[in-house]
Amino acid sequence: AHQMNAVYGAMLPQPRMRFLLADEPGTGKTIMAGLYLREMQRLGFVRSALIVVPAHLVSKWIADFERFFGGGLRPITAQTVREHGLDSGHDLWIVSLDLLSVNGAVQDAVHPDRMGWDAVVFDEAHRLTPTAVGYYQAGEMLALNTPRALLMTATPHRGKEWLFRALLHLVDPEVFPAVESNKEPSRNVKPGRVHFLRRMKEDLVDFDG
């Protein structure tokens, strides 16, 4: 029920969805992301999308899409770029954040100005931190230049207000200004439900209550 509420209640109603999904581990954030993408494809609002995940999660995402959503998720590697595989017209891709952050050819190949992504999804989005410059720059390149961005992490702030603000800047730069430095701000930011959703596992119930 909490997956249906997130996708159909909070995410799909937004024409230009910018969202940080911060549910606890084990709540099925991958399922919610896949359901959102498939519904947006069905409705005709998303033609092409890119998913960015840590390297060790690429195969899991591909397997989950095969199991729950009929497959169709293709990995981007350095070889994919060398062979101009992204020009095939395929609509749903996944790339390792680790590869993306260090490989200039991959960065150029997946740049929104070239690919025109309709949506981008980041798993383990807490890795997009200004203290990890390559990761954060990759996040800026994609999130700030793509109309729909979904960031997912079970640890959205890790106790540091300025890191949380930097992450929310990728969600919606107009609402959450860029963080100038690592100085802790005097006031905490409290994003509304249009941008942010976090549920604890002990609070979740099935359709029978």
Side-chain angles (χ1 to χ4, degrees):
H2 70 279
Q3 295 173 347
M4 302 291 283
N5 175 261
V7 174
Y8 292 94
M11 293 157 61
L12 281 174
Q14 300 187 44
R16 184 179 178 272
M17 198 268 298
R18 317 284 305 181
F19 207 73
L20 175 56
L21 181 60
D23 287 352
E24 277 202 308
T27 51
K29 290 188 288 294
T30 303
I31 300 298
M32 289 181 260
L35 186 57
Y36 169 77
L37 289 175
R38 285 302 194 213
E39 282 292 276
M40 289 296 282
Q41 286 180 319
R42 182 181 68 83
L43 293 168
F45 293 112
V46 166
R47 178 189 58 82
S48 63
L50 178 66
I51 299 171
V52 184
V53 305
H56 70 281
L57 292 178
V58 170
S59 58
K60 180 182 183 302
W61 270 81
I62 293 173
D64 283 348
F65 256 75
E66 191 70 37
R67 178 183 178 189
F68 296 110
F69 302 109
L73 187 56
R74 291 187 188 177
I76 297 173
T77 65
Q79 183 177 352
T80 308
V81 172
R82 285 195 300 269
E83 296 177 354
H84 305 287
L86 286 167
D87 298 329
S88 64
H90 189 69
D91 57 2
L92 200 56
W93 295 92
I94 185 168
V95 66
S96 155
L97 175 62
D98 309 84
L99 175 66
L100 179 62
S101 65
V102 300
N103 191 309
V106 173
Q107 293 170 14
D108 292 341
V110 304
H111 197 287
D113 288 347
R114 179 181 183 274
M115 294 300 299
W117 305 112
D118 299 304
V120 60
V121 176
F122 294 92
D123 196 6
E124 300 288 323
H126 57 269
R127 295 171 183 254
L128 306 176
T129 165
T131 57
V133 177
Y135 287 177
Y136 196 76
Q137 288 177 342
E140 287 182 309
M141 175 189 73
L142 289 168
L144 300 185
N145 295 289
T146 302
R148 299 170 187 85
L150 172 61
L151 284 70
M152 306 190 304
T153 172
T155 53
H157 56 74
R158 295 176 291 166
K160 296 290 186 179
E161 174 72 14
W162 75 278
L163 293 178
F164 188 38
R165 287 175 179 264
L167 193 60
L168 287 170
H169 175 66
L170 300 181
V171 173
D172 195 325
E174 295 182 8
V175 176
F176 305 102
V179 177
E180 298 297 334
S181 68
N182 63 355
K183 182 179 179 180
E184 291 291 331
S186 58
R187 296 177 61 187
N188 294 340
V189 64
K190 295 182 179 180
R193 293 181 70 86
V194 69
H195 288 117
F196 182 76
L197 190 61
R198 177 168 174 82
R199 282 86 56 90
M200 304 294 106
K201 279 190 290 189
E202 57 266 27
D203 298 328
L204 305 181
V205 296
D206 60 20
F207 286 108
D208 297 322

